Amino acid sequence: MAGWAAAQPPPDRTNGDISQFLQDLFPVQTEGIDYQSVFDVLTQLYASPLDLNTATRDELAATYLLSERQLNSLLTYRTDAGDLLSIYELQAVPGFDLPTIRRLLPFATVSDSPRLLGAMPTPTDHYVLLRFEQLLERQKGFSAATPNRNGSLPTRYLGSPGQWFARYRYSRPRAFSFGLTVEKDPGEVMGWQPSARRHGLDYVSFHLQLQNRGRWRNITLGDYQMQVGQGLVLSAGFVLGKSAETVQTVRRPTLGARPYSSLTEYGYFRGATATYALHPRLDLTLLAARNRRDANTTAGSTADELIATSLQTSGLHRTPSERDDQGRLLETNVGLHLLYHNRHQLQLGLTALSTTYDLFFRKRNLPYNRYEFTGTTNRVIGLHGGYVWNNWNFFGEVARSSGSQTSSGGTGAVGGALASLTKQLDLAVVLRHYDRNFHSFYANAFSESSRSQNETGVYTGLKYTIYRKLTVSGFVDAYRFPWLKYLVDTPSSGFDYLMQIRYTPNRQTTFYAVFHDERKEKNLPGSKTDEVVRTTRRSLALNAEYTLARGLALRSRVQQGSFAYAGRARSTGFALVQDVQYERRRWSLSGRVALFGTDDYDSRQYVYERDVLYAFSFPAYYDRGIRHYVLVQYNLSRHLDLWLRWARTDLTNQTTVGSDLDQIDAPHKTEVKVQARWRF
C-alpha cells in the first residue's frame, strides 16, 4: 500500500494486536479465504502503519475498519482542517468513536508535522528475521526405508524434518523497499545438487521497489502482486470475502502493485511492473513476468510431447514425484492497467492480462472439467469502476476471457454498493455472475467458491449499532453453480447466513456470539448412483474477553459445529478453549488449553492460534483430545527480539496422528518453533 508509513508509531502497540484483529475477523472458519495471504498483508500493515494524512480512500478502506460514513468524514476533515497533528485528533472527526479509534491504533499513524528545522525523515523498517521449526515426533516419511518384498525401496522424504526460514527487509514507506526471503520446508533437501542443478533453498523470493520518483509512482522488480478493481483480472492481498465483518469486506480496493514476500509459493508474478502518471488523474501500469510453475505432466500424442494436466500449489518438493513436478511449466504474463481517478469520488479502469504456457494445458477428461481452460494462451480484458455519492459507494467490474482454444470465451461480472444509511446502520449488496468457461488465473473476486468461475449469486450484509456498546450484524448469501463441480455431479445451488452480536460494556471486557448456517449440495458418499443431496453445516461460537489486571488478559471460548448429509445422521464437534496473555516490560507470555471432540473430520473445529511474528496458525481440531501451547517473546534489546513457541496435541481416541507419509506412530504431536529478529 503506497500510503503506509511508520513515522509516529501509536503507543502500546504489541504483536498481540494482530492476533486480536484476526480473531475478530475470523470467529468462525469460512471456506474460500486464503488466510495466509490475509495474514501476510496484515503483518505488513502492522509493521508499517498507514499514514492518515496521505492515505487514499482505497488504502483507508483496505483496513476494513471504517464505514463509508467514517471514510467520508475523515477525508472531509482533512480537506477542511488540514493534516492531523496527532492520531488522537481522530476524536474530533465526526463519526469516530473510541472503540473505532482503538481498533485503528495498531494499523495507522500520523506523519510528523513540520518543525522549525523541517519535517523529520520517515524512519525505515530494517530487519533480519530467522526461524526454525520442527515436529519432535518422527513421521513415517522420515523413518528408515525398509525394502519392499520385491526389493524396491518405499517412497520417503528426501530431506531433513526441520523447516528453515530467513527474511531480510529494508524499506521506507512511500520511498523504497528491498526484500529477500528464503525457505526450506520439512522433507526438502538443503545444499547444492550438481546432478539436478538445483539449490537446496527450495524457495527464494526477492523484490526491489521504488516509489514516487517524479511521475513514476511505482517501479517494482522481482516478485509482486496486483490488486485491481473487483478482482476479476488481478487480485491479491487482504481479500476477505464473506466473514464476520459483514459489510466492509465485500468490496475490493484498487491498490495497484505491491512487493510479494509471503511463504505461499504460488499466486504471484516474478518480473517487473511500473506505474507512470500520464496525468495527475491518469495512471498507466505495465507488467511482465515469467514464472516456473509446479505441474503434473503426461505424454502427448507423440513420444516427445508433454501435456500439463494440473497445477500444484502446495509448494512442497519432498519426494521424487513432487520434485518431478517442480517448475515443469513455464508461464509468461504481460498486462496493463489504465486507471482514471477523480479525487475520492470517481474511479474508472481498464485491465488486460495475457498468460501463455510453454506446454499444452488440458485437465483430465472428466465431466466436471468439460469447461476448464484448454490450450497454451489465455487472455482476459476487464473494465472496472467506482463512484462515491454521499455515504454510498457503488462499485463493479466486468471481464471477458478468450484463448487459443474455444474453451475460453466466458464473461464474469460483479457489482454492488456499500452504504451508511444512518449513523447506526450500514448496508452491503453484491451481485455476481461468472460463466462456467470464464478463465482468469489471477482472479479472486467475491464468490462462494475459491475461483471466480461457474457461479451466480446475491449477497446482502447489514451491521446495526444499537448503541456504542452493542452491535448486531449478519449476512445472507444465495448462489447457484450452473455446471458440475468436484464431488458435485449435477448443477447445484446453496445459501448460507451468519448472525453476530457483540457487546463491549467497557474497555476491558468484550462478549460476542456468532452463528453460521451453510447449505450446499454434494455427492452422497457411498452412493452407487452418484446421488447429489443437500448438506447442512452449522457452527456456533461464544466468546468472552476480559482484562483482569494491567498486562493480564483472558479469553474464554466455546464453539460447537455439525455437518450432515440429507437423510443421514449428523456429525458433531465441539471445542472448549481458554487463553491467557501476560505482558510485562520486555516479556510477553501467552498460552492456551483446548479440549475438543468431533465425530469425524466433517465436524472439525477451526480456532485461530497466536504464533510468532509473521507466522500464522489456524489448525483444524478433530478426533478427541487436548491441544495446548505456550508462546514466549522476549525483547532482549532495542535491536533483538526472541520468540519460542511450544505446542502439543494429545488424542484420546486414536493411536496414531496423521496419515500416509505424515503419520506419527503415537497419539500425540509436538511442535517447536524458535525465531529471532534483529532490527538495525
Side-chain angles (χ1 to χ4, degrees):
M1 297 181 185
W4 294 359
Q8 188 189 58
D12 302 325
R13 295 176 71 244
T14 69
N15 297 335
D17 295 324
I18 304 177
S19 296
Q20 178 70 39
F21 187 55
L22 279 173
Q23 289 179 80
D24 289 343
L25 282 175
F26 308 130
V28 293
Q29 188 266 354
T30 303
E31 294 182 359
I33 295 179
D34 186 347
Y35 291 104
Q36 183 63 60
S37 295
V38 171
F39 183 77
D40 290 337
V41 175
L42 182 62
T43 52
Q44 288 185 42
L45 177 58
Y46 176 84
S48 300
L50 192 67
D51 186 350
L52 297 179
N53 284 331
T54 59
T56 67
R57 184 188 182 94
D58 269 352
E59 289 166 346
L60 291 166
T63 64
Y64 299 127
L65 292 171
L66 304 178
S67 68
E68 292 303 309
R69 185 179 297 273
Q70 290 170 329
L71 287 169
N72 286 340
S73 294
L74 178 56
L75 296 174
T76 300
Y77 185 90
R78 279 188 350 195
T79 300
D80 295 343
D83 288 350
L84 280 70
L85 300 179
S86 164
I87 197 167
Y88 299 108
E89 194 177 342
L90 285 174
Q91 297 176 78
V93 179
F96 276 72
D97 53 17
L98 285 177
T100 299
I101 296 172
R102 292 190 189 110
R103 289 196 302 269
L104 192 60
L105 278 176
F107 309 103
T109 187
V110 170
S111 58
D112 288 312
S113 56
R115 313 290 178 92
L116 292 176
L117 300 178
M120 298 292 291
T122 302
T124 58
D125 185 26
H126 193 191
Y127 66 88
V128 171
L129 188 76
L130 300 174
R131 181 193 306 157
F132 174 78
E133 57 185 292
Q134 183 173 325
L135 292 180
L136 296 187
E137 295 85 357
R138 174 174 289 183
Q139 295 174 300
K140 185 177 180 180
F142 297 107
S143 60
T146 303
N148 297 318
R149 292 181 178 179
N150 60 5
S152 64
L153 292 176
T155 300
R156 289 292 183 267
Y157 294 146
L158 301 175
S160 62
Q163 179 174 3
W164 293 89
F165 160 66
R167 173 183 292 165
Y168 171 77
R169 188 74 178 262
Y170 183 40
S171 63
R172 177 173 294 165
R174 304 184 67 86
F176 67 87
S177 177
F178 173 75
L180 176 65
T181 300
V182 296
E183 184 215 31
K184 182 201 85 73
D185 288 310
E188 295 177 340
V189 178
M190 289 189 70
W192 175 254
Q193 305 162 67
S195 60
R197 298 189 64 82
R198 290 173 175 166
H199 55 72
L201 294 174
D202 180 80
Y203 174 64
V204 179
S205 177
F206 62 94
H207 74 265
L208 172 63
Q209 179 189 45
L210 298 175
Q211 294 175 281
N212 300 311
R213 298 296 197 268
R215 289 198 171 191
W216 293 98
R217 298 191 186 277
N218 178 58
I219 300 173
T220 302
L221 304 176
D223 298 343
Y224 60 92
Q225 287 184 313
M226 297 282 292
Q227 177 68 48
V228 168
Q230 295 309 302
L232 277 179
V233 183
L234 295 168
S235 179
F238 202 8
V239 175
L240 292 176
K242 293 190 291 186
S243 67
E245 173 47 63
T246 58
V247 175
Q248 301 303 322
T249 59
V250 301
R251 176 186 175 273
R252 308 286 194 259
T254 294
L255 303 173
R258 65 177 183 86
Y260 184 79
S261 59
S262 171
L263 295 183
T264 304
E265 300 182 27
Y266 70 95
Y268 63 93
F269 297 109
R270 173 163 292 179
T273 181
T275 300
Y276 184 77
L278 301 174
H279 181 275
R281 296 182 181 178
L282 186 64
D283 296 340
L284 173 65
T285 300
L286 300 177
L287 70 89
R290 299 191 78 182
N291 292 65
R292 281 284 178 184
R293 301 292 302 274
D294 295 353
N296 289 136
T297 58
T298 188
S301 56
T302 62
D304 58 350
E305 181 187 14
L306 283 179
I307 294 177
T309 58
S310 65
L311 298 177
Q312 302 299 310
T313 59
S314 69
L316 299 174
H317 312 113
R318 306 161 299 178
T319 64
S321 61
E322 290 176 346
R323 293 183 70 83
D324 286 343
D325 294 338
Q326 186 175 3
R328 295 301 296 269
L329 189 65
L330 177 62
E331 176 187 286
T332 302
N333 287 279
V334 292
L336 65 85
H337 178 232
L338 190 64
L339 178 66
Y340 172 81
H341 47 93
N342 179 11
R343 299 191 63 177
H344 304 297
Q345 289 185 306
L346 177 64
Q347 186 181 95
L348 297 172
L350 167 68
T351 313
L353 180 67
S354 175
T355 303
T356 303
Y357 295 140
D358 68 334
L359 298 178
F360 193 85
F361 189 93
R362 182 177 61 219
K363 289 197 171 185
R364 292 182 301 163
N365 186 22
L366 296 171
Y368 66 86
N369 285 333
R370 179 176 177 181
Y371 294 96
E372 291 291 343
F373 170 77
T374 300
T376 58
T377 302
N378 188 68
R379 293 176 289 271
V380 193
I381 298 178
L383 294 171
H384 69 87
Y387 183 71
V388 177
W389 175 71
N390 292 333
N391 292 319
W392 286 81
N393 189 336
F394 301 94
F395 57 89
E397 184 173 16
V398 60
R400 184 168 180 82
S401 64
S402 62
S404 55
Q405 299 289 318
T406 56
S407 63
S408 286
T411 299
V414 58
L418 302 178
S420 290
L421 301 178
T422 68
K423 292 182 178 180
Q424 290 79 33
L425 182 61
D426 294 323
L427 166 72
V429 178
V430 182
L431 293 82
R432 76 269 191 188
H433 171 77
Y434 314 126
D435 285 343
R436 53 193 174 184
N437 59 340
F438 174 66
H439 303 137
S440 185
F441 302 151
Y442 288 88
N444 191 5
F446 186 90
S447 64
E448 168 63 21
S449 304
S450 58
R451 297 191 299 162
S452 306
Q453 182 182 358
N454 184 35
E455 180 176 328
T456 299
V458 179
Y459 172 98
T460 302
L462 290 170
K463 179 189 291 185
Y464 182 63
T465 303
I466 299 176
Y467 69 106
R468 63 185 182 86
K469 295 182 179 181
L470 182 62
T471 302
V472 178
S473 59
F475 71 72
V476 177
D477 189 33
Y479 40 85
R480 63 183 180 88
F481 309 110
W483 186 242
L484 284 56
K485 295 166 60 70
Y486 177 63
L487 296 181
V488 188
D489 290 339
T490 65
S492 58
S493 62
F495 74 92
D496 67 320
Y497 63 91
L498 179 145
M499 296 180 293
Q500 177 178 222
I501 182 168
R502 177 179 291 267
Y503 177 55
T504 308
N506 52 58
R507 186 174 180 179
Q508 289 74 35
T509 311
T510 299
F511 303 97
Y512 66 76
V514 182
F515 177 74
H516 188 206
D517 187 297
E518 183 179 44
R519 308 189 183 194
K520 292 181 180 179
E521 292 174 308
K522 193 175 180 180
N523 291 351
L524 183 65
S527 172
K528 297 181 180 180
T529 60
D530 294 329
E531 181 182 2
V532 176
V533 299
R534 177 76 70 180
T535 67
T536 302
R537 183 183 298 278
R538 294 191 176 101
S539 62
L540 173 65
L542 305 175
N543 198 86
E545 304 165 20
Y546 33 93
T547 301
L548 295 183
R550 182 178 178 83
L552 179 61
L554 301 179
R555 175 189 290 256
S556 302
R557 183 182 183 90
V558 179
Q559 67 181 52
Q560 185 272 341
S562 65
F563 178 85
Y565 291 93
R568 291 192 176 181
R570 290 191 307 162
S571 166
T572 61
F574 74 92
L576 305 177
V577 182
Q578 180 61 57
D579 292 334
V580 60
Q581 179 179 345
Y582 180 70
E583 295 184 0
R584 182 174 176 83
R585 298 190 178 95
R586 297 182 177 185
W587 289 92
S588 176
L589 176 67
S590 58
R592 162 176 296 175
V593 176
L595 176 67
F596 60 90
T598 70
D599 293 335
D600 50 40
Y601 188 72
D602 283 335
S603 55
R604 60 195 178 276
Q605 301 294 301
Y606 287 91
V607 187
Y608 175 78
E609 296 182 349
R610 292 194 67 192
D611 211 321
V612 301
L613 186 63
Y614 302 126
F616 176 80
S617 181
F618 204 166
Y621 296 176
Y622 61 96
D623 287 327
R624 298 184 182 277
I626 298 175
R627 168 81 172 174
H628 48 283
Y629 72 83
V630 176
L631 173 64
V632 180
Q633 178 184 351
Y634 180 61
N635 301 324
L636 187 63
S637 69
R638 67 186 184 93
H639 295 290
L640 183 60
D641 301 314
L642 302 173
W643 289 264
L644 172 64
R645 188 177 192 267
W646 182 88
R648 182 180 173 102
T649 301
D650 289 274
L651 299 181
T652 58
N653 67 327
Q654 301 290 339
T655 57
T656 62
V657 178
S659 60
D660 299 326
L661 295 182
D662 289 334
Q663 179 175 308
I664 298 171
D665 291 329
H668 51 79
K669 178 180 178 180
T670 309
E671 311 148 48
V672 174
K673 186 177 300 184
V674 181
Q675 178 169 291
R677 178 182 61 173
W678 178 270
R679 290 182 288 188
F680 296 92

